[in-house]
């Protein structure tokens, strides 16, 4: 998998999403339950807004001093006998990991859920190198077994599948013979995966936060697969985006609280682990530890007008409230990062050539901004993208013409008033029962999926009503 999960046109992808009623139901009910759980977990914490402010301040402080904390982290990891590698590009990151694995002549790799490893196309690189790679997060494992179906949510990657689809995948690919009960499916996957953990020579994990003053990483999971991936194989390689760092355990505690409550509505997830290079005398844990810190475009975002996007702690709460995500689903974004945060960071990491439509996949209702635990102004960042896309002349000539005409019309009350007078008679031929049903091509996209009311008669307009009121009151 790479950043891009689907090369088709955005309109094709969204048409697919809108037409997939199963997926829309699944996403809708997942959103509803996650939203409710998040709300009660946030309320239980006390003053949630103060926690959000603390989270924002921690992320901003860390980003402002990123060079200092990364250097401190590197020094502490090396002091403890671990290895740290700073990768400027995705190719550098995946080549380094492949080289470590080849040098060890390792073939069996287990991996826990990590978006950044998707971003650097690690699976592809390791499979090409002849490794047997197994995803150990249950959702990711289901997707891998389903011929690497792309994830559709950053926290719940298989959100778009139901138990029957999972039963079909397991039956076809793993000779599963039982029914579609979630407990039985999970127990079956667990048994298969246990064996994979025991056989693995290298374990690869992501990193929710690196703790600079400890030279350690923090993993937040519910299944325990991350801990087994890190602890059982002889070599542990952790991969992190370079911004995912905190100064000390105190800041980690605040962010873990915000993360668990925002992501899944839990006080804490089942496993919150801090780990790193093994110390002398440790009786368990890996013999070798590598941390790969991935830049891959993040330095360009740092200090730019999009700096706040780097505050993200990947909780997925913005996806769970987004009305656009609810209707088109995660795959329509064509990126491993879907939803509002995906629409902000995907164009930054992948460029406008492939992703200029994403910032427009938003109603700008700002529900994402309201819910974000670290106060990223997501809707404002989407507007910034839109402004840049317009400045760079990347919109179509018809759209530019329409916007120019709309700009003139809406900025002149006199012209707007005159146009309203003609709008009703002019729309008669295009309308039926008070709805516009046909017209020039430029409105097809709108009326194909939504109702568009016919403009009212001039004498029934708000302006006419207001003028009448003013006349009556003598203003
Ligand atoms: S932008 Fe905010 S709400 Fe969305 S995933 Fe990141 S931290 Fe969570």
């Amino acid at each position: 998998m790479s950043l891009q999960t689907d090369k088709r046109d955005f309109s094709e992808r969204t048409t697919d999403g809108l037409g997939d009623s199963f997926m829309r139901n699944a996403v809708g009910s997942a959103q509803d339950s996650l939203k409710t759980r998040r709300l009660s977990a946030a309320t239980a914490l006390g003053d949630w807004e103060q926690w959000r402010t603390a989270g924002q301040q921690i992320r901003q402080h860390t980003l402002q001093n990123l060079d200092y904390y990364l250097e401190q982290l590197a020094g502490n990891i090396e002091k403890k006998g671990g290895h740290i590698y700073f990768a400027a590009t995705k190719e550098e990151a995946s080549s380094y990991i492949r080289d470590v694995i080849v040098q060890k002549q390792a073939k069996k790799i287990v991996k826990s859920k990590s978006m950044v490893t998707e971003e650097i196309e690690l699976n592809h690189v390791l499979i090409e190198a002849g490794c047997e790679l197994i995803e150990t997060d249950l959702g990711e494992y289901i997707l891998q077994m389903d011929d690497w179906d792309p994830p559709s949510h950053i926290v719940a990657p298989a959100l778009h599948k139901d138990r029957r689809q999972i039963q079909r995948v397991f039956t076809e690919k793993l000779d599963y013979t039982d029914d579609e009960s979630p407990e039985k499916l999970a127990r079956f996957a667990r048994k298969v995966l246990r064996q994979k953990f025991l056989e693995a020579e290298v374990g690869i994990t992501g990193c929710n936060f690196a703790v600079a003053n400890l030279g350690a990483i923090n993993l937040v999971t519910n299944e325990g697969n991350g801990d087994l991936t890190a602890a059982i194989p002889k070599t542990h390689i952790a991969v992190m985006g370079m911004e995912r760092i905190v100064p000390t355990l105190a800041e980690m505690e605040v962010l873990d609280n915000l993360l668990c409550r925002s992501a899944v509505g839990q006080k804490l997830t089942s496993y919150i682990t801090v780990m790193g290079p093994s110390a002398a005398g440790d009786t368990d844990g890996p013999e070798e530890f590598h941390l790969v810190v991935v830049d891959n475009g993040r330095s360009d975002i740092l200090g730019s007008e999009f700096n706040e996007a780097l505050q993200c702690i990947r909780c997925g709460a913005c996806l769970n409230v987004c009305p656009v995500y609810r209707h088109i689903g995660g795959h329509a974004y064509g990126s491993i990062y879907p939803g509002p945060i995906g629409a902000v960071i995907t164009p930054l990491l992948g460029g406008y050539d492939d992703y200029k439509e994403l910032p427009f996949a938003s109603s700008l209702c700002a529900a994402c901004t309201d819910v974000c635990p670290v106060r990223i102004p997501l809707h404002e960042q989407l507007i910034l993208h839109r402004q840049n896309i317009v400045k760079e002349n990347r919109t179509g000539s018809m759209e530019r013409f329409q916007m120019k005409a709309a700009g003139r019309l809406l900025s002149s009350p006199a012209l707007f008033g005159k146009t309203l007078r003609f709008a009703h008679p002019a729309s008669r031929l295009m309308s039926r029962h008070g709805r516009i049903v046909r017209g020039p091509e430029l409105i097809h996209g709108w009326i194909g999926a939504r109702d568009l009311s016919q403009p009212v008669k001039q004498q029934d307009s708000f302006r006419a009503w207001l003028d009448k009121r003013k006349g009556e009151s003598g203003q």
Side-chain angles (χ1 to χ4, degrees), residues 154 312-319 341 368 371-374 376 378:
I154 56 180
C312 179
I313 57 172
R314 302 284 188 271
C315 70
C318 54
L319 281 69
I341 185 61
C368 49
V371 83
C372 178
V374 287
I376 301 174
L378 287 154

Side-chain angles (χ1 to χ4, degrees), residues 428-439:
R428 253 189 228 137
L429 285 176
M430 297 151 58
S431 309
R432 199 184 317 136
H433 307 309
R435 300 261 176 272
I436 296 201
V437 290
R438 67 181 78 85

Side-chain angles (χ1 to χ4, degrees), residues 67-255:
D67 51 349
Y68 171 80
Y69 288 119
L70 284 172
E71 214 178 303
Q72 190 186 25
L73 174 74
N76 285 331
I77 284 186
E78 281 168 351
K79 230 184 277 170
K80 290 160 78 177
H83 307 266
I84 186 158
Y85 178 74
F86 288 91
T89 62
K90 61 179 183 177
E91 289 80 12
E92 279 184 24
S94 49
S95 303
Y96 174 83
I97 298 168
R98 183 197 52 212
D99 291 349
V100 170
I101 289 171
V102 168
Q103 200 207 347
K104 305 210 151 301
Q105 300 180 333
K107 287 286 173 210
K108 291 179 186 278
I109 318 293
V110 283
K111 182 168 156 288
S112 69
K113 186 168 154 332
S114 150
M115 301 308 289
V116 72
T117 58
E118 306 278 358
E119 189 187 313
I120 64 172
E121 299 177 39
L122 185 61
N123 293 359
H124 172 72
V125 169
L126 296 186
I127 290 167
E128 282 234 310
C131 297
E132 183 205 343
L133 182 137
I134 296 290
E135 293 283 355
T136 60
D137 171 85
L138 183 56
E140 294 282 2
Y141 181 61
I142 292 164
L143 298 181
Q144 177 180 3
M145 289 303 114
D146 199 10
D147 301 323
W148 297 101
D149 188 20
S152 64
H153 190 283
I154 56 180
V155 174
L159 185 87
H160 55 288
K161 291 199 187 300
D162 74 353
R163 58 174 91 172
R164 280 167 208 87
Q165 290 173 318
I166 297 165
Q167 182 204 20
R168 178 188 56 74
V169 172
F170 281 9
T171 305
E172 283 172 12
K173 300 290 168 56
L174 298 163
D175 297 328
Y176 175 74
T177 51
D178 221 324
D179 62 33
E180 79 263 17
S181 120
E183 290 77 17
K184 287 181 184 165
L185 289 164
R187 201 174 301 127
F188 174 79
R190 177 187 156 117
K191 199 170 159 205
V192 177
L193 289 172
R194 276 294 145 117
Q195 194 53 35
K196 301 291 179 192
F197 285 122
L198 295 173
E199 291 167 1
E201 296 148 298
V202 174
I204 300 172
T205 68
C207 160
N208 289 92
F209 304 105
V211 187
N213 78 330
L214 280 187
I217 66 158
N218 168 219
L219 280 186
V220 178
T221 67
N222 254 329
E223 297 171 18
N225 64 306
D227 302 71
L228 290 174
T229 301
I232 295 182
K234 287 199 167 136
T235 303
H236 173 200
I237 305 174
V239 191
M240 63 179 266
M242 74 174 200
E243 77 285 11
R244 301 294 291 278
I245 185 168
V246 288
T248 69
L249 286 176
E251 291 80 16
M252 185 197 91
E253 188 197 340
V254 174
L255 294 184

Side-chain angles (χ1 to χ4, degrees), residues 414-434:
L415 185 60
F416 186 68
K418 272 188 203 145
T419 308
L420 273 190
R421 209 168 300 153
F422 296 108
H424 179 75
S427 66
R428 253 189 228 137
L429 285 176
M430 297 151 58
S431 309
R432 199 184 317 136
H433 307 309

